[in-house]
Amino acid sequence: MIRRPPRSTLSSSSAASDVYKRQVSTQSTGSLYFIEHPGMALTLQPASFQHIVRLLNTNIDGKRKIPFALRVLRGIGIRFAYMICKKTNIDVNRRAGTLTPEECEKISDVVADPQKYKIPTWFLNRQRDPKTGTVEHVTSSAVATKLRDDIERLRKMRCHRGVRHAYGIRVRGQHTCTSGRRGKVMGVAKKK
């Protein structure tokens, strides 16, 4: 049973009165003890804490938890970030500012060659590359380069998607007559 202790049990002169505490009773022993409120616990930063971590030529916020901080890297989503933490044996509840240089190297190795760490091929973001036919995981500036190359390849083939990309209109079958009027004008324009 969790309930707030009466005001008389906390002395106003002690430092403990400033911290909101809860009284908890255990069913087996029946004894009572106090636990500090988990939202108000004071945690000190270690001396080696970095507010900005440099990883794969990208600045990462050191105050965020590691999986969410790794999402700043292009080509890494939340599921892949959790997979990286699992393969490198890094606790997902730690902050990115507490990473050691060795752990940053391990993260870089996993991102560079995920198949070496037994990450399945269906988890990677570049499957059956048109030029090489290999499966790889593309990150950082290579994501934009590969996308630009793919669009250019479609334009050269003059396939339907390539033509739509070339004209700058919707590619994936959306309606264009009445929606998406901003930017390039499509459909019927009103006369003044």
Side-chain angles (χ1 to χ4, degrees), residues 162-182:
V163 170
R164 305 284 290 189
H165 274 297
Y167 287 141
I169 56 180
R170 303 287 173 100
V171 175
R172 298 186 174 183
Q174 298 96 321
H175 290 258
T176 56
C177 183
T178 57
S179 63
R181 296 266 178 144
R182 295 189 181 187

Side-chain angles (χ1 to χ4, degrees), residues 50-159:
Q50 298 174 337
H51 289 279
I52 296 176
V53 179
R54 189 80 175 159
L55 187 65
L56 296 172
N57 297 328
T58 308
N59 293 334
I60 293 178
D61 186 13
K63 294 177 280 189
R64 301 180 83 180
K65 291 189 177 179
I66 294 172
F68 297 96
L70 288 177
R71 290 177 56 204
V72 174
L73 300 169
R74 289 194 59 154
I76 296 179
I78 190 64
R79 293 181 67 211
F80 194 67
Y82 272 104
M83 182 69 80
I84 290 170
C85 291
K86 182 179 177 184
K87 294 297 181 182
T88 55
N89 295 326
I90 295 175
D91 183 22
V92 294
N93 292 318
R94 282 178 49 197
R95 303 289 170 176
T98 61
L99 286 173
T100 62
E102 295 81 22
E103 291 171 334
C104 289
E105 280 296 319
K106 284 203 296 195
I107 290 172
S108 299
D109 290 341
V110 172
V111 170
D113 191 11
Q115 290 177 331
K116 187 172 85 176
Y117 290 89
K118 303 282 192 286
I119 294 178
T121 56
W122 55 264
F123 215 87
L124 308 181
N125 63 2
R126 183 81 176 165
Q127 299 178 9
R128 293 187 309 254
D129 187 84
K131 291 183 181 176
T132 62
T134 59
V135 178
E136 59 184 351
H137 194 82
V138 182
T139 55
S140 65
S141 62
V143 174
T145 305
K146 295 282 186 182
L147 179 64
R148 192 170 49 250
D149 291 346
D150 288 344
I151 291 174
E152 191 60 37
R153 182 176 50 83
L154 292 171
R155 282 182 185 170
K156 284 182 181 177
M157 288 181 0
R158 301 298 293 169
C159 67

